[in-house]
């Protein structure tokens, strides 16, 4: 057995054990703001280390460099778009937590348009009005927070341009330094691709939920919900100023199961309940 194959054989059971343990304990770990695992927890440190190894094994860019203040804020703000919108989607949220820590590939657990609707129906609400209100609030919050995230992303990419320009002129830089710097630039670009993918997933799930709520429990509360969703759909245009790479394929991944984050902006859905 070769050394590389032997190392892989040793890592596989360990990675499987971490994955199973993560799914089992996802609801029990200590949480910080916005539902994220607390940054200073031992569990978080374990996931970060495991995620770096797993991502490197999948051929994704991984850099050991520390984060700038803007890079850290970028990741904190991006987290909202990497996990399910409704906290009652607990299994999908557990998978998304692991994906956000890079233990699983980007988009793990995504692709089911019914997730948000099912979570709405299971949250214990008696009146349909509360479900419409939750949908409206979630879509409006996404639309409000996306521009702030993209402003931070713009600052990160400006700093990345400085980083790459410096590589061209520095004389005491090793090949490892160059590789680590380029990997961080790729990480930042691919995070935006992941946000774009998450935004599309949310829009699809919100639209599915709205259509089914109108069929199941039609009432006037659907109107503000659709307005919020339509506004969120219009925010797609904000991504046009960025050259967003595909989430599947170089430089983000050698292989994967999710579709590219952005190809062409989908046509707006026809009005469902709005008048005029």
């Amino acid at each position: 057995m070769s050394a590389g194959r032997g190392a892989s054989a040793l890592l596989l059971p360990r990675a499987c054990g971490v994955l199973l343990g993560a799914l089992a304990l996802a609801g029990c770990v200590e949480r910080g703001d916005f539902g994220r695992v607390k940054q200073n927890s031992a569990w978080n440190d374990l996931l970060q280390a495991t995620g770096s190894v797993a991502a490197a094994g999948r051929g994704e860019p991984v850099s050991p460099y520390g984060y700038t203040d803007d890079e850290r804020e970028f990741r904190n703000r991006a987290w909202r778009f990497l996990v399910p919108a409704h906290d009652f989607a607990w299994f999908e949220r557990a998978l998304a937590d692991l994906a956000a820590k890079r233990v699983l590939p980007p988009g793990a657990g995504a692709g089911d348009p019914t997730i948000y609707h099912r979570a709405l129906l299971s949250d214990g609400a008696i009146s349909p009005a509360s479900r419409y209100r939750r949908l409206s609030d979630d879509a409006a919050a996404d639309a409000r927070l996306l521009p702030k995230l993209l402003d931070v992303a713009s600052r990160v990419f400006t700093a990345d341009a400085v980083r790459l320009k410096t590589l061209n002129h520095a004389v005491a830089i090793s090949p490892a330094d160059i590789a680590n710097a380029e990997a961080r630039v790729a990480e930042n670009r691919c995070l935006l691709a992941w946000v774009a993918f998450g935004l599309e997933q949310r829009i699809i799930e919100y639209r599915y939920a709205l259509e089914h709520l109108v069929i199941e429990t039609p009432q006037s509360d659907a109107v503000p919900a659709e307005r919020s969703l339509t506004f969120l759909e219009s925010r797609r245009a904000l991504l046009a100023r960025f050259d967003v790479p595909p989430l599947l394929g170089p430089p983000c991944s050698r292989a994967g199961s999710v579709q590219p984050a952005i190809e062409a902006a989908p046509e707006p859905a026809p009005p469902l309940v709005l008048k005029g």
Side-chain angles (χ1 to χ4, degrees), residues 185-206:
V185 172
E187 281 182 336
N188 291 335
R189 299 298 298 184
C190 294
L191 180 58
L192 184 61
W194 196 352
V195 167
F197 175 80
L199 174 64
E200 288 303 318
Q201 287 297 121
R202 283 177 172 241
I203 289 174
I204 290 169
E205 291 175 21
Y206 291 154

Side-chain angles (χ1 to χ4, degrees), residues 66-107:
Y67 296 125
T68 67
D69 291 341
D70 283 334
E71 285 174 337
R72 192 172 301 280
E73 183 179 356
F74 182 26
R75 281 152 178 79
N76 288 340
R77 289 186 176 277
W79 185 88
R80 176 182 179 89
F81 295 90
L82 310 186
V83 299
H86 202 300
D87 47 9
F88 271 63
W90 66 268
F91 181 75
E92 291 80 6
R93 181 168 285 263
L95 291 178
D97 274 337
L98 293 177
K101 293 294 186 295
R102 308 185 76 179
V103 176
L104 297 178

Side-chain angles (χ1 to χ4, degrees), residues 37-58:
V37 177
K38 278 197 172 181
Q39 291 297 315
N40 60 352
S41 71
W43 180 252
N44 185 70
D45 293 341
L46 173 62
L47 288 183
Q48 293 281 16
T50 304
S52 294
V53 173
R58 293 191 299 267

Side-chain angles (χ1 to χ4, degrees):
M1 180 182 293
S2 68
R5 188 173 300 174
S8 298
L10 291 174
L11 284 174
L12 182 58
R14 188 178 305 172
C16 291
V18 170
L19 174 57
L20 292 174
L23 288 172
L25 295 176
C28 305
V29 297
E30 191 177 6
R31 298 279 168 175
D33 58 338
F34 305 108
R36 291 190 296 266
V37 177
K38 278 197 172 181
Q39 291 297 315
N40 60 352
S41 71
W43 180 252
N44 185 70
D45 293 341
L46 173 62
L47 288 183
Q48 293 281 16
T50 304
S52 294
V53 173
R58 293 191 299 267
E60 297 171 14
V62 177
S63 174
Y65 288 164
Y67 296 125
T68 67
D69 291 341
D70 283 334
E71 285 174 337
R72 192 172 301 280
E73 183 179 356
F74 182 26
R75 281 152 178 79
N76 288 340
R77 289 186 176 277
W79 185 88
R80 176 182 179 89
F81 295 90
L82 310 186
V83 299
H86 202 300
D87 47 9
F88 271 63
W90 66 268
F91 181 75
E92 291 80 6
R93 181 168 285 263
L95 291 178
D97 274 337
L98 293 177
K101 293 294 186 295
R102 308 185 76 179
V103 176
L104 297 178
D112 181 358
T114 72
I115 291 173
Y116 185 79
H117 177 246
R118 287 189 284 108
L120 281 179
L121 296 182
S122 65
D123 65 3
I126 297 175
S127 170
S130 65
R131 295 186 179 121
Y132 284 115
R133 192 177 308 115
R134 172 67 190 262
L135 195 162
S136 180
D137 290 347
D138 285 343
D142 288 347
R144 185 176 66 253
L145 293 173
L146 183 63
K148 298 178 181 179
L149 184 157
L150 295 181
D151 285 343
V152 178
S154 182
R155 297 200 301 269
V156 168
F157 297 159
T158 298
D160 280 342
V162 173
R163 176 183 273 141
L164 294 177
K165 185 176 181 180
T166 302
L167 288 179
N168 292 328
H169 301 287
V171 295
I173 299 297
S174 69
D177 292 326
I178 295 173
N180 289 333
E182 291 177 341
R184 175 51 48 82
V185 172
E187 281 182 336
N188 291 335
R189 299 298 298 184
C190 294
L191 180 58
L192 184 61
W194 196 352
V195 167
F197 175 80
L199 174 64
E200 288 303 318
Q201 287 297 121
R202 283 177 172 241
I203 289 174
I204 290 169
E205 291 175 21
Y206 291 154
R207 176 63 60 179
Y208 180 97
L210 178 62
E211 291 175 350
H212 283 73
L213 287 177
V214 170
I215 293 170
E216 297 159 5
T217 53
Q219 53 191 61
S220 61
D221 303 275
V223 174
E226 184 168 24
R227 286 200 180 105
S228 294
L229 178 53
T230 301
F231 181 50
L232 176 60
E233 290 172 332
S234 73
R235 291 295 207 182
R236 289 186 180 112
L238 297 176
L239 286 157
R241 63 188 170 111
F242 298 95
D243 181 20
V244 183
L247 189 58
L248 174 60
C252 299
S253 175
R254 284 196 304 247
S257 58
V258 295
Q259 296 301 310
I262 287 186
E263 294 175 345
E267 291 293 327
L272 184 66
V273 294
L274 298 182
K275 296 180 179 179

